[in-house]
Amino acid sequence: MSEIDTSVPHSARIWNYWLGGKDNYPVDEAAGDAYTDVFPGIVDIARGSRGFLRRNIGYLVAEAGIRQFLDVGTGLPTAQNTHEVAQRLAPEARIVYVDNDPMVLAHARALLTSTEEGATAYIDADVAEPERILEAAARTLDLGRPTALILSNILGHIADLDRARSVVTRLMAALPSGSYLSVNDGSRGVDPDFERAQDAYNASGAVPYNLRSVDEISAFFDGLELVEPGVVSVTEWRPEPGSGIPVVVAEHGGLARKP
């Protein structure tokens, strides 16, 4: 296992910092603060992304009847992790987390808690290794049954769009009809201040994260049946009743069913 490098800011730890978590280092807080100085709205994007994922999982369990989840690029544990949301609604739900960050692995015990009826597992693998992910996931999940594939803020780490689409295609090809794909990523063409801040971050020496146009994010769902309202700003995806008019953020996502 690779060592945890505390000298370079890391996106998963910065994200954790923006979400109010404690699993980060001074270098991450400094990078996070520098980012918010340029673009304070990143905190709204981080929290909007988390809310989108929570509502996705709620729909998948309560309305689509999904009981298996493959969460690739899960990041550091925070509140409302996939297994917590899913097993609260369906204790028998089974969840496999995938990440290749040694710090996430160090915190995997927090991810591996589970109800007695269900199961959780953690795979140390890179998103660019779909076949390895699927082989390991099959030890916990029955990949002959409908499964939800979650790719939240991970595809932006694959710079080449065709390569990113290939990863999605290969993962979804192994899942049966009735499975679902959930994707959300930072988007271009919505907020120039966000784009400037992200471009500066990418040039800082940190691991880059590439923003994509809404059309490029939508292309990940080609061949699948999008759940209404389609690919939208994460805050606009089935907002909870009484939550007010959502503020559009430069983070788009959707949920789609494999026919």
Side-chain angles (χ1 to χ4, degrees), residues 111-124:
L111 289 170
L112 296 180
T113 58
S114 175
T115 58
E116 290 186 12
E117 304 96 318
T120 62
Y122 178 87
I123 300 170
D124 181 16

Side-chain angles (χ1 to χ4, degrees), residues 161-224:
L161 178 60
D162 288 339
R163 187 172 175 227
R165 291 187 65 179
S166 172
V167 166
V168 175
T169 299
R170 286 148 67 194
L171 287 168
M172 287 303 296
L175 304 181
S177 173
S179 294
Y180 283 80
L181 171 66
S182 170
V183 171
N184 64 287
D185 265 307
S187 49
R188 285 197 180 275
V190 178
D191 191 329
D193 291 338
F194 177 38
E195 293 168 24
R196 280 191 290 272
Q198 188 61 41
D199 291 344
Y201 173 85
N202 288 352
S204 71
V207 177
Y209 176 85
N210 303 278
L211 305 180
R212 294 203 159 101
S213 71
V214 177
D215 285 345
E216 288 172 335
I217 295 171
S218 299
F220 290 125
F221 298 101
D222 284 356
L224 306 177

Side-chain angles (χ1 to χ4, degrees), residues 39-134:
F39 180 63
I42 190 62
V43 176
D44 295 328
I45 288 177
R47 293 175 182 172
S49 171
R50 201 70 184 178
F52 166 85
L53 181 58
R54 184 185 70 248
R55 297 192 302 278
N56 265 215
I57 296 167
Y59 172 90
L60 288 164
V61 174
E63 299 189 46
I66 295 295
R67 296 295 183 268
Q68 299 193 128
F69 295 82
L70 179 56
D71 187 341
V72 181
T74 180
L76 287 161
T78 63
Q80 305 282 338
N81 295 301
T82 297
H83 73 283
E84 293 170 328
V85 178
Q87 291 183 342
R88 188 180 306 126
L89 296 168
E92 71 276 20
R94 304 176 76 83
I95 297 90
V96 170
Y97 291 105
V98 183
D99 210 298
N100 70 335
D101 181 345
M103 190 162 177
V104 176
L105 182 59
H107 288 79
R109 285 185 299 275
L111 289 170
L112 296 180
T113 58
S114 175
T115 58
E116 290 186 12
E117 304 96 318
T120 62
Y122 178 87
I123 300 170
D124 181 16
D126 189 278
V127 64
E129 304 173 300
E131 286 73 26
R132 181 181 169 198
I133 289 170
L134 291 162

